[in-house]
Amino acid sequence: YGDHRDLHLCDRRQRQMCIRDRYQRRVREPTRESNNMPKVQKGDKKPAAKTEKKVAKRAPKKKALFVKREKNFGIGQDLPPKRDLSRLTRWPRYVRLQRQKAVLFKRLKVPPSINQFTQTADTNTTRSLLRLLNKYRPEDRAAKKARLLAAAKDGEAAAGGKKPLVVKYGLNHVVGLIENKKAKLVVIAHDVDPIELVIFLPALCRKTDTPYVIVKGKARLGTVVHKKNAAALVVTDVAKEDQGALATLVSYARDNFNSNVAVRRTWGGGVLGHKSQTAQAKLAKALKKEEARKARNIV
């Protein structure tokens, strides 16, 4: 086909054949540079120097008794952990009303005559008082019937004998005993509703110089006299062995209730909500900052 310089003299087909043969020769024959490159023998290659490092032997890993399993909380996968959803719960109407009532009692200002019922006797005194009251529980119908039958068998004189010492209850009965000065200790419940039923009893006890004490729970007083609730109880007399316990309770009642003037003059309520308290604190901080700035300007 001649030299490549003569390609322009050939037709198109001869030119293509010439280019193809020349490409095949170039692929078959190695280049001069590759022939002249010195060959590296395998024995001449030196290995790289290894750095000696002391490797501490690791203790073999112990197999866990319980294998942790990763949870996937995606749709249709593992159930999410339980959360406190009480804030999102739609509570019954009576629950909402009693909670709103409690909030109102905190917000509104409460006069001292009503606020005094929030100051109750301490736990130890209440426990010893209930222990004494339970000794003198009124007899139920079956016990009273059995006592009267036994007294009737002994004779008419024994039937009209001395009555047992018991705790007195009933508001009208309690008021009558206090006015006649027969009550040695008056016990008033703090959660009577409506409060007007017992709101006058502390003032009446102070007027007649009768010791009184306010305890938590009208239901606790009700269990003493076999009722669901009891607004007030009266101790008229006790046995000789319980005179010391009664004297201790009377002394406590006079010191903490009859002679406590601060309780009768302290207003209650007026507690703001969390948002209002934060706003008030922010306003007070701003006023304090403004007063400090004015003081610096005057100086």
Side-chain angles (χ1 to χ4, degrees):
Y1 305 111
D3 196 11
H4 66 277
R5 288 173 295 183
D6 302 333
L7 287 177
H8 65 283
L9 302 175
C10 306
D11 57 359
R12 182 179 179 184
R13 184 170 182 178
Q14 288 178 346
R15 197 181 310 124
Q16 289 176 353
M17 292 175 63
C18 179
I19 293 172
R20 185 184 64 187
D21 293 344
R22 186 166 50 189
Y23 175 75
Q24 289 178 355
R25 281 200 308 270
R26 185 178 299 172
V27 171
R28 282 193 232 104
E29 296 176 1
T31 57
R32 294 179 182 177
E33 294 178 359
S34 62
N35 293 335
N36 296 334
M37 288 290 292
K39 294 182 180 181
V40 179
Q41 297 181 2
K42 294 181 180 180
D44 298 343
K45 190 175 181 180
K46 294 181 180 180
K50 294 182 180 180
T51 56
E52 295 181 0
K53 292 183 178 179
K54 294 182 180 179
V55 180
K57 294 183 179 180
R58 296 180 180 178
K61 292 183 178 179
K62 295 182 179 180
K63 292 184 178 180
L65 184 60
F66 301 100
V67 181
K68 183 181 179 182
R69 183 176 67 85
E70 298 294 337
K71 289 188 177 182
N72 181 14
F73 298 117
I75 298 174
Q77 303 298 326
D78 295 318
L79 294 175
K82 291 184 178 180
R83 297 181 178 89
D84 184 14
L85 301 178
S86 58
R87 186 173 175 79
L88 308 177
T89 305
R90 183 174 177 80
W91 296 97
R93 187 168 179 268
Y94 79 95
V95 175
R96 295 198 301 270
L97 285 176
Q98 66 186 11
R99 289 180 179 178
Q100 291 167 2
K101 182 181 177 183
V103 171
L104 276 178
F105 282 159
K106 289 182 180 179
R107 301 288 181 270
L108 301 176
K109 287 188 176 181
V110 183
S113 58
I114 299 176
N115 187 56
Q116 65 178 337
F117 287 92
T118 60
Q119 310 297 325
T120 57
D122 58 81
T123 307
N124 294 330
T125 305
T126 305
R127 190 181 293 116
S128 60
L129 174 62
L130 291 174
R131 193 182 301 118
L132 178 65
L133 294 177
N134 284 324
K135 286 184 179 181
Y136 299 95
R137 299 181 70 182
E139 47 189 8
D140 53 0
R141 288 185 178 181
K144 184 176 182 180
K145 184 178 179 180
R147 179 177 61 83
L148 292 177
L149 286 173
K153 286 180 182 179
D154 296 340
E156 293 181 358
K162 191 176 181 181
K163 293 182 179 180
L165 298 174
V166 293
V167 175
K168 309 298 181 180
Y169 65 98
L171 275 176
N172 292 333
H173 193 191
V174 167
V175 172
L177 291 172
I178 296 173
E179 289 177 344
N180 296 327
K181 297 185 178 181
K182 292 182 180 180
K184 291 190 175 180
L185 179 64
V186 181
V187 185
I188 308 171
H190 87 296
D191 55 347
V192 178
D193 189 22
I195 194 67
E196 288 81 8
L197 294 175
V198 294
I199 197 172
F200 63 92
L201 283 181
L204 181 62
C205 291
R206 287 194 297 271
K207 186 176 181 179
T208 58
D209 195 26
T210 304
Y212 74 95
V213 62
I214 299 174
V215 297
K216 285 187 177 180
K218 58 185 178 181
R220 299 166 78 183
L221 300 184
T223 57
V224 176
V225 294
H226 310 288
K227 302 288 183 182
K228 284 186 178 179
N229 300 312
L233 302 179
V234 168
V235 179
T236 54
D237 200 4
V238 293
K240 192 174 182 180
E241 61 269 12
D242 294 324
Q243 291 289 343
L246 180 62
T248 304
L249 292 171
V250 167
S251 175
Y252 175 85
R254 290 190 183 280
D255 294 340
N256 293 276
F257 292 95
N258 289 65
S259 304
N260 195 347
V261 181
V263 173
R264 304 198 300 268
R265 296 179 180 176
T266 305
W267 282 69
V271 180
L272 298 177
H274 178 68
K275 291 183 179 179
S276 300
Q277 288 182 5
T278 306
Q280 293 285 346
K282 187 176 180 181
L283 180 61
K285 186 178 180 181
L287 291 175
K288 189 176 181 180
K289 187 176 180 181
E290 182 67 18
E291 291 177 358
R293 186 184 64 80
K294 288 181 179 180
R296 286 198 304 269
N297 293 338
I298 292 173
V299 175

